[in-house]
Protein backbone atom coordinates (compact mmCIF):
# COMPACT_ATOMS: atom_id res chain seq x y z
CA UNK A 1 0.00 0.00 0.00
CA UNK A 2 1.10 3.55 -0.59
CA UNK A 3 2.00 6.03 2.14
CA UNK A 4 3.56 9.45 2.70
CA UNK A 5 5.77 10.82 5.44
CA UNK A 6 5.94 14.50 6.19
CA UNK A 7 9.15 15.58 7.87
CA UNK A 8 8.54 18.17 10.53
CA UNK A 9 5.20 18.57 12.26
CA UNK A 10 5.81 22.30 12.65
CA UNK A 11 7.73 24.72 10.44
CA UNK A 12 8.20 28.38 11.31
CA UNK A 13 9.45 31.00 8.84
CA UNK A 14 9.64 34.76 8.69
CA UNK A 15 7.45 36.69 6.31
CA UNK A 16 9.26 36.93 2.97
CA UNK A 17 11.42 33.87 3.62
CA UNK A 18 11.49 30.64 1.64
CA UNK A 19 8.91 28.02 2.57
CA UNK A 20 9.99 24.37 2.31
CA UNK A 21 7.68 21.59 3.47
CA UNK A 22 8.98 18.07 3.04
CA UNK A 23 7.11 14.99 1.86
CA UNK A 24 8.46 11.54 1.03
CA UNK A 25 6.29 8.81 -0.43
CA UNK A 26 6.29 5.06 -0.62
CA UNK A 27 4.50 3.28 -3.44
CA UNK A 28 5.09 0.07 -5.39
CA UNK A 29 3.47 1.60 -8.48
CA UNK A 30 3.69 5.10 -9.95
CA UNK A 31 2.14 7.48 -7.44
CA UNK A 32 -0.21 10.37 -7.82
CA UNK A 33 0.80 13.04 -5.30
CA UNK A 34 -1.11 15.98 -3.86
CA UNK A 35 -0.60 18.88 -1.50
CA UNK A 36 -3.62 20.21 0.38
CA UNK A 37 -3.89 23.20 2.72
CA UNK A 38 -6.31 23.44 5.63
CA UNK A 39 -7.14 26.63 7.47
CA UNK A 40 -8.64 26.39 10.97
CA UNK A 41 -12.13 24.88 11.07
CA UNK A 42 -12.26 24.52 7.30
CA UNK A 43 -12.06 21.74 4.77
CA UNK A 44 -9.03 20.90 2.66
CA UNK A 45 -8.12 22.92 -0.43
CA UNK A 46 -6.00 21.45 -3.19
CA UNK A 47 -2.76 23.39 -3.74
CA UNK A 48 -1.29 21.26 -6.51
CA UNK A 49 -1.00 17.73 -7.83
CA UNK A 50 1.35 15.47 -9.74
CA UNK A 51 -0.01 12.65 -11.85
CA UNK A 52 2.17 12.23 -14.93
CA UNK A 53 4.27 14.47 -17.17
CA UNK A 54 6.22 17.48 -15.99
CA UNK A 55 7.86 16.84 -12.65
CA UNK A 56 7.80 20.48 -11.54
CA UNK A 57 4.24 21.33 -10.69
CA UNK A 58 2.94 24.81 -10.06
CA UNK A 59 -0.09 25.39 -7.90
CA UNK A 60 -2.16 28.14 -6.43
CA UNK A 61 -0.94 30.95 -4.18
CA UNK A 62 2.61 30.78 -5.57
CA UNK A 63 3.36 27.25 -4.36
CA UNK A 64 5.17 24.64 -6.39
CA UNK A 65 6.46 21.12 -5.86
CA UNK A 66 8.90 18.86 -7.65
CA UNK A 67 8.42 15.12 -8.06
CA UNK A 68 11.77 13.38 -7.64
CA UNK A 69 11.46 9.68 -8.26
CA UNK A 70 15.07 8.93 -7.32
CA UNK A 71 14.52 10.52 -3.91
CA UNK A 72 10.85 9.44 -3.56
CA UNK A 73 10.11 13.03 -2.64
CA UNK A 74 7.51 15.66 -3.40
CA UNK A 75 8.54 18.72 -1.39
CA UNK A 76 6.43 21.87 -1.40
CA UNK A 77 8.08 25.27 -1.81
CA UNK A 78 7.19 28.93 -2.02
CA UNK A 79 9.86 31.59 -2.59
CA UNK A 80 8.40 34.19 -0.25
CA UNK A 81 6.10 33.43 2.67
CA UNK A 82 3.06 35.57 3.37
CA UNK A 83 1.19 35.83 6.63
CA UNK A 84 -1.85 34.31 4.95
CA UNK A 85 0.14 31.10 4.28
CA UNK A 86 -0.09 30.14 7.95
CA UNK A 87 -2.10 26.90 7.96
CA UNK A 88 -1.84 23.11 8.12
CA UNK A 89 -0.44 21.42 5.03
CA UNK A 90 -1.05 17.80 4.08
CA UNK A 91 0.76 15.72 1.52
CA UNK A 92 -1.28 12.84 0.09
CA UNK A 93 -0.76 9.90 -2.23
CA UNK A 94 -2.90 7.63 -4.31
CA UNK A 95 -2.34 5.48 -7.38
CA UNK A 96 -3.98 4.79 -10.70
CA UNK A 97 -5.93 1.75 -9.57
CA UNK A 98 -6.72 2.92 -6.08
CA UNK A 99 -9.95 4.29 -4.67
CA UNK A 100 -8.50 5.87 -1.58
CA UNK A 101 -6.03 8.60 -0.74
CA UNK A 102 -3.53 8.38 2.10
CA UNK A 103 -2.54 11.55 3.93
CA UNK A 104 0.62 12.43 5.76
CA UNK A 105 0.48 13.56 9.38
CA UNK A 106 0.52 17.20 8.36
CA UNK A 107 2.87 20.15 8.83
CA UNK A 108 1.76 23.29 10.59
CA UNK A 109 3.29 26.36 8.99
CA UNK A 110 3.71 29.46 11.12
CA UNK A 111 4.72 32.75 9.51
CA UNK A 112 6.33 35.37 11.74
CA UNK A 113 6.06 39.07 10.93
CA UNK B 1 -20.36 25.00 -9.54
CA UNK B 2 -17.10 23.66 -8.10
CA UNK B 3 -18.25 23.33 -4.55
CA UNK B 4 -18.97 20.57 -2.09
CA UNK B 5 -21.48 21.63 0.53
CA UNK B 6 -22.05 20.03 3.92
CA UNK B 7 -24.83 20.48 6.44
CA UNK B 8 -25.03 21.12 9.26
CA UNK B 9 -21.89 23.11 10.00
CA UNK B 10 -22.03 22.16 13.68
CA UNK B 11 -23.87 19.34 15.42
CA UNK B 12 -24.16 18.48 19.10
CA UNK B 13 -25.83 15.21 19.97
CA UNK B 14 -26.31 12.88 22.88
CA UNK B 15 -25.25 9.27 22.83
CA UNK B 16 -28.84 8.08 22.31
CA UNK B 17 -29.69 10.46 19.48
CA UNK B 18 -30.04 9.70 15.79
CA UNK B 19 -28.82 12.36 13.41
CA UNK B 20 -27.62 12.64 9.83
CA UNK B 21 -24.88 14.56 8.06
CA UNK B 22 -25.47 15.64 4.49
CA UNK B 23 -23.13 16.31 1.62
CA UNK B 24 -23.92 17.58 -1.86
CA UNK B 25 -21.96 18.27 -5.04
CA UNK B 26 -23.05 19.35 -8.51
CA UNK B 27 -19.81 18.83 -10.40
CA UNK B 28 -20.94 15.58 -12.00
CA UNK B 29 -18.49 13.61 -9.87
CA UNK B 30 -19.16 9.89 -9.55
CA UNK B 31 -17.06 9.21 -6.45
CA UNK B 32 -17.81 10.54 -2.98
CA UNK B 33 -15.99 10.08 0.29
CA UNK B 34 -16.45 10.44 4.03
CA UNK B 35 -13.47 11.25 6.24
CA UNK B 36 -13.12 11.69 9.98
CA UNK B 37 -10.57 14.19 11.26
CA UNK B 38 -9.56 14.54 14.90
CA UNK B 39 -7.83 17.68 16.12
CA UNK B 40 -4.25 18.08 14.86
CA UNK B 41 -4.51 14.84 12.86
CA UNK B 42 -4.86 14.07 9.15
CA UNK B 43 -8.20 13.00 7.68
CA UNK B 44 -8.94 9.30 8.04
CA UNK B 45 -10.91 7.64 5.29
CA UNK B 46 -14.21 6.09 6.38
CA UNK B 47 -16.18 5.27 3.24
CA UNK B 48 -15.91 5.55 -0.53
CA UNK B 49 -18.84 5.48 -2.91
CA UNK B 50 -18.21 4.89 -6.59
CA UNK B 51 -21.15 5.24 -8.97
CA UNK B 52 -23.50 5.26 -5.98
CA UNK B 53 -22.19 1.92 -4.71
CA UNK B 54 -20.16 1.49 -1.56
CA UNK B 55 -16.69 0.45 -2.64
CA UNK B 56 -14.64 0.97 0.52
CA UNK B 57 -15.60 0.66 4.18
CA UNK B 58 -12.55 1.13 6.34
CA UNK B 59 -13.80 -1.07 9.18
CA UNK B 60 -15.98 1.71 10.49
CA UNK B 61 -18.30 0.84 13.43
CA UNK B 62 -21.90 0.16 12.50
CA UNK B 63 -23.07 3.21 14.44
CA UNK B 64 -21.99 5.09 11.30
CA UNK B 65 -24.19 4.25 8.33
CA UNK B 66 -23.51 5.84 4.93
CA UNK B 67 -26.05 6.32 2.20
CA UNK B 68 -25.74 7.58 -1.36
CA UNK B 69 -29.29 8.31 -2.64
CA UNK B 70 -28.02 9.61 -5.99
CA UNK B 71 -24.84 10.76 -7.67
CA UNK B 72 -25.01 14.23 -6.10
CA UNK B 73 -25.87 13.37 -2.51
CA UNK B 74 -24.10 11.56 0.28
CA UNK B 75 -25.46 11.07 3.78
CA UNK B 76 -23.90 9.77 6.96
CA UNK B 77 -26.44 8.47 9.47
CA UNK B 78 -25.33 8.53 13.09
CA UNK B 79 -26.77 6.46 15.92
CA UNK B 80 -25.62 5.65 19.45
CA UNK B 81 -22.35 7.49 19.06
CA UNK B 82 -19.64 7.69 21.69
CA UNK B 83 -17.85 10.82 22.95
CA UNK B 84 -14.70 9.67 21.14
CA UNK B 85 -16.61 10.05 17.86
CA UNK B 86 -16.47 13.82 18.30
CA UNK B 87 -14.50 15.15 15.33
CA UNK B 88 -14.67 17.10 12.09
CA UNK B 89 -16.41 15.02 9.43
CA UNK B 90 -15.33 15.86 5.93
CA UNK B 91 -17.02 14.97 2.69
CA UNK B 92 -15.14 14.94 -0.60
CA UNK B 93 -15.88 14.10 -4.22
CA UNK B 94 -13.82 13.28 -7.28
CA UNK B 95 -14.56 12.78 -10.94
CA UNK B 96 -14.05 9.06 -10.55
CA UNK B 97 -12.54 6.76 -7.98
CA UNK B 98 -9.16 5.68 -9.24
CA UNK B 99 -7.96 5.77 -12.82
CA UNK B 100 -6.11 9.05 -12.40
CA UNK B 101 -9.26 11.09 -11.89
CA UNK B 102 -9.28 11.00 -8.13
CA UNK B 103 -8.33 14.57 -7.32
CA UNK B 104 -10.63 15.15 -4.40
CA UNK B 105 -12.62 18.29 -3.68
CA UNK B 106 -13.48 18.75 -0.02
CA UNK B 107 -16.42 20.33 1.72
CA UNK B 108 -16.01 22.59 4.78
CA UNK B 109 -16.90 19.80 7.17
CA UNK B 110 -19.36 19.22 10.00
CA UNK B 111 -18.01 19.72 13.51
CA UNK B 112 -19.64 16.95 15.58
CA UNK B 113 -19.70 16.93 19.36
CA UNK B 114 -21.07 13.88 21.18
CA UNK B 115 -22.03 14.47 24.80
Amino acid sequence: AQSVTQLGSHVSVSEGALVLLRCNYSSSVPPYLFWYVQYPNQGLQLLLKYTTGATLVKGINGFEAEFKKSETSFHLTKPSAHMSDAAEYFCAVTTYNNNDMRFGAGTRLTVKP
Amino acid sequence: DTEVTQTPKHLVMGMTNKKSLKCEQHMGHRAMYWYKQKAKKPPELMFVYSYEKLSINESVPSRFSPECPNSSLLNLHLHALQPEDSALYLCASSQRAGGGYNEQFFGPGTRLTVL
Side-chain angles (χ1 to χ4, degrees), chain B residues 5-22:
Chain B
T5 59
Q6 290 188 244
T7 56
K9 191 176 176 69
H10 299 278
L11 178 63
V12 179
M13 60 187 291
M15 290 190 286
T16 59
N17 292 157
K18 285 185 181 181
K19 296 286 185 183
S20 296
L21 309 184
K22 296 186 184 303

Side-chain angles (χ1 to χ4, degrees), chain A residues 32 34 36 38 41-46 49 51 90 94-106 108, chain B residues 9 33 35 37 40-43 45 48 55-56 58 88 90 97-100 102-108 111:
Chain A
Y32 293 157
F34 305 82
Y36 284 89
Q38 186 176 33
N41 297 312
Q42 293 188 26
L44 278 69
Q45 181 183 11
L46 181 70
K49 64 179 179 180
T51 54
F90 292 100
T94 187
T95 60
Y96 180 86
N97 59 349
N98 213 318
N99 283 356
D100 67 68
M101 182 177 290
R102 299 294 170 174
F103 288 86
R108 178 170 299 277
Chain B
K9 191 176 176 69
Y33 310 76
Y35 289 87
Q37 187 179 26
K40 302 187 188 303
K41 296 291 186 182
L45 184 67
V48 179
S55 66
I56 292 181
E58 291 282 355
L88 182 68
L90 294 165
N102 44 10
E103 169 188 338
Q104 295 182 22
F105 293 78
F106 284 81
R111 175 71 61 188

